[in-house]
Amino acid sequence: MDSLVTLRHGARWSDDGDVDIYELHYPGSFVAEMDDEAAFALNSLLGLMESGVAEAAVSLHLFEEAHKNGTPPPPSPDDVWDDEFERQGAATRETAAELLDQLPTGLTHAERRAAERRAWIDAAQELKRQGWRNGVWPDGYLRTVPFLYAKAFLYAVDGVVQALATMARQPWAPESIDAIATEWESAFPTVRPVRNTSQHQDERILGKRNRNKPIELQPIDNGIIHAPDGGITVINSLNGNRFVCTMADGHMGEVEISSATLKAIGDLTQRTISAFTWEGPERYIP
């Protein structure tokens, strides 16, 4: 049955693409020789791990869709850009003229100049509002979408690992659970510190880590940023499909938002399930 516990593609999520599905196999419905309290704790922690795998799968799909949809369009001929620039300018002038027609008479020269500047600002903003009412999102909002899904993926992965770490500290957990947790930490050492930075961006901006200690910024060379002498703090950044930030130790940390990472936490969850002795009917999730 272990051959079925694989990352599988093909479950239809939307018309644009497929979501990765990770199948989890429970050899039974309950763990042998475990009291009710321990069984409740185990099932609750495994439930957290299941949810984390599902959340990672969904957020990965949405991240990839957002990344794809957010790709800038191919360059347009200069005359197309010129036409759009002229259209925007004409619309702004028209709206500004309407606002200026509403000004009271008898304004001083200085008051008139101030009112004209205000009219141009209000006109430009009103054009943006018209776009919003027609369903056009602000560029700044659009740019946040892949970051939201990347962080959702990061938090889901971290949630799986933290559930495992909590399980490893329980007296009823077999020794193999601690070994699985240690192996994960060696293979993916940046997940927790990157997640910490994403939740403490204000401290990183000030160059601080836990207990208000200063961060010693380390050299960076990741293909986008070249800072051989350090001195740069990176917050909430994407390098392709990698969520990147400065960790508390001053080094650059990254977590890959990918099917490979999803498979890794799926494998982690499956190994955790398989570490216990199960009885009763087997089942699959999802």
Side-chain angles (χ1 to χ4, degrees), residues 211-229:
R211 298 177 183 175
N212 211 34
K213 295 179 180 178
I215 296 176
E216 296 182 11
L217 297 172
Q218 303 299 313
I220 304 173
D221 189 2
N222 64 356
I224 293 180
I225 301 173
H226 180 67
D229 297 324

Side-chain angles (χ1 to χ4, degrees), residues 49-262:
M49 297 179 77
E50 286 178 22
S51 297
V53 173
E55 290 170 8
V58 173
S59 56
L60 169 62
H61 173 80
L62 295 174
F63 169 78
E64 291 177 339
E65 288 295 300
H67 227 331
K68 179 174 63 179
N69 294 336
T71 302
S76 297
D78 290 341
D79 58 343
V80 174
W81 290 115
D82 290 344
D83 289 347
E84 175 61 17
F85 182 79
E86 178 58 31
R87 188 192 69 79
Q88 291 282 349
T92 302
R93 288 192 296 271
E94 181 180 350
T95 304
E98 293 175 358
L99 294 174
L100 289 172
D101 287 341
Q102 301 172 19
L103 292 177
T105 59
L107 295 177
T108 65
H109 178 73
E111 290 172 337
R112 182 78 184 182
R113 294 285 293 175
E116 288 174 350
R117 287 194 295 269
R118 181 77 259 170
W120 278 97
I121 293 172
D122 290 344
Q125 190 65 18
E126 179 56 29
L127 284 178
K128 290 192 287 185
R129 294 185 185 123
Q130 291 176 11
W132 304 339
R133 287 192 288 269
N134 291 326
V136 179
W137 286 26
D139 290 343
Y141 282 27
L142 288 172
R143 285 193 293 269
T144 67
V145 175
F147 290 91
L148 289 174
Y149 296 139
K151 285 193 282 188
F153 183 90
L154 171 65
Y155 293 169
V157 171
D158 183 66
V160 172
V161 179
Q162 287 311 300
L164 173 63
T166 297
M167 186 184 299
R169 294 192 293 269
Q170 306 312 306
W172 42 260
E175 292 183 3
S176 57
I177 294 296
D178 188 62
I180 293 171
T182 300
E183 183 179 329
W184 168 271
E185 181 63 28
S186 298
F188 293 85
T190 61
V191 168
R192 172 41 57 108
V194 168
R195 198 279 295 165
N196 284 344
T197 287
S198 72
Q199 289 191 322
H200 298 279
Q201 296 181 34
D202 55 329
E203 295 179 1
R204 300 296 182 269
I205 288 173
L206 298 177
K208 303 294 183 181
R209 53 193 174 105
N210 57 322
R211 298 177 183 175
N212 211 34
K213 295 179 180 178
I215 296 176
E216 296 182 11
L217 297 172
Q218 303 299 313
I220 304 173
D221 189 2
N222 64 356
I224 293 180
I225 301 173
H226 180 67
D229 297 324
I232 294 179
T233 300
V234 178
I235 301 294
N236 201 35
S237 180
L238 283 172
N239 183 359
N241 71 338
R242 297 174 182 271
F243 187 84
V244 181
C245 65
T246 299
M247 301 183 295
D249 65 0
H251 289 90
M252 183 67 64
E254 60 183 29
V255 174
E256 185 176 89
I257 316 300
S258 68
S259 294
T261 306
L262 173 60

Side-chain angles (χ1 to χ4, degrees), residues 31-43 171-172:
V31 175
E33 300 180 359
M34 180 173 282
D35 62 51
D36 291 344
E37 183 177 353
F40 177 80
L42 171 62
N43 288 325
W172 42 260

